[in-house]
Amino acid sequence: MLVVMRADATREQIEAVIGRIKSDGYDVHLSTGVERTLIGIIGESPTPLREDNYSTMDGVDQAVRVTSPFKLAGRNFHPEDSTVHLKGVSFGSRQKIAVIAGPCSVESREQIIETAHAVREAGATALRGGAFKPRSSPYSFQGHGELGLEWLAEAREQTGLAIVTEVMDPALVPMVAQYADMLQIGARNMQNYTLLNAVGVSHHPILLKRGMMSTIEELLMSAEYILAQGNWNIVLCERGIRTFEKYTRNTFDLNAIPVLKDISHLPVIADPSHAVGKWEYVEAVARSAIAAGADGLIVEVHPRPDEALSDGRQSLTPKRFKSMMEQIRQIAQVIGRGA
Ligand code: PEP
Ligand code: MN
């Protein structure tokens, strides 16, 4: 339920409503907007929730039931756009387009450092690279683990780029967070609730990718797990879903961008690389995502895609990435945003 306070409600009246909610056994999510204060009622309690209990209190405009299963992730409870800040980069509607770029996997110290310099020169705002890789086959390259994180940290030192990397194991969240500026939850782990709770407790910025067979609502319910632990630093990512279409690796759900921006306050970015799986289509999908209102991109770039240990087929060379960035800047300008 959401208690909407009148614009002229006093602090005492707001406090009284909060006190009543707490004494009824519920938790409170307070959203103090420019115009008015919204008080979200969350959690479980044996006391039945009745609109009248709150709508008749002084200073209350109305009490409304929120029927969507996600609360903290939704705009009802939190109408203002959220912004997620990490080292030198901000994600959100009022920010410039943020572009995370780098190889699928951290393959060697030289490879990640070379790529970091190349993507920074082309205008990327953060560096990606997997040290723990979720591979379909146990015989495929699984990543260099902590050594890969050390190389990423060195790349950050040399270029100043923030680091985004995947964490797969709840027990490793504190260790990965020591190196990374942003923790990626991969598509395959979007509904790993133990992992979601662990990154929620960490309070580190999170990049939450949509599961390849998950609905938009399921993505927001996963964000809700992280939010419920008190971590509000979440960026959502549309990375393509599985459909009957075989020509591309996945089907990019462009609809998800305006839908997520409408129903959630969280920043939204797009991953055109995993969505299409072929480098020659990455640029077009990247342009469409920005035109549709995405707050940023995560793009795979490799200095020698033919030699990549994972996802070479969809990786842009630094030269192609540079050309993509130039196009993104133009689109961003047309829709009144910088990049
Ligand atoms: C990746 O970012 O390299 C990755 C594995 O992505 P996803 O989880 O979206 O498949
Ligand atoms: Mn990849």
Side-chain angles (χ1 to χ4, degrees), residues 251-264:
T251 296
F252 183 64
D253 183 6
L254 186 61
N255 300 354
I257 308 276
V259 171
L260 284 168
K261 292 296 296 179
D262 183 33
I263 62 180
S264 175

Side-chain angles (χ1 to χ4, degrees), residues 103-105 128-130 132-135 166 184-189 207 209-210 212 237-240 249-250 271 274-275 298 300 310-311 314:
C104 179
S105 303
R128 63 151 290 150
F132 295 94
K133 292 304 301 177
R135 304 305 301 279
E166 179 159 358
Q184 174 175 323
I185 301 295
R188 290 156 189 80
N189 272 318
L207 178 61
K209 296 185 99 178
R210 179 179 179 184
M212 61 189 85
C237 179
E238 163 58 37
R239 47 78 73 205
R249 182 176 179 179
N250 291 290
D271 175 346
H274 291 87
I298 178 165
E300 286 187 341
S310 61
D311 288 348
Q314 67 197 30

Side-chain angles (χ1 to χ4, degrees), residues 118-119 121-123 283 301 316-329:
V119 299
E121 254 164 58
E283 208 170 82
V301 179
L316 298 179
T317 58
K319 192 168 162 227
R320 291 200 176 100
F321 174 66
K322 199 167 178 196
S323 128
M324 187 208 85
M325 284 300 296
E326 278 155 18
Q327 297 187 31
I328 291 309
R329 275 189 210 106

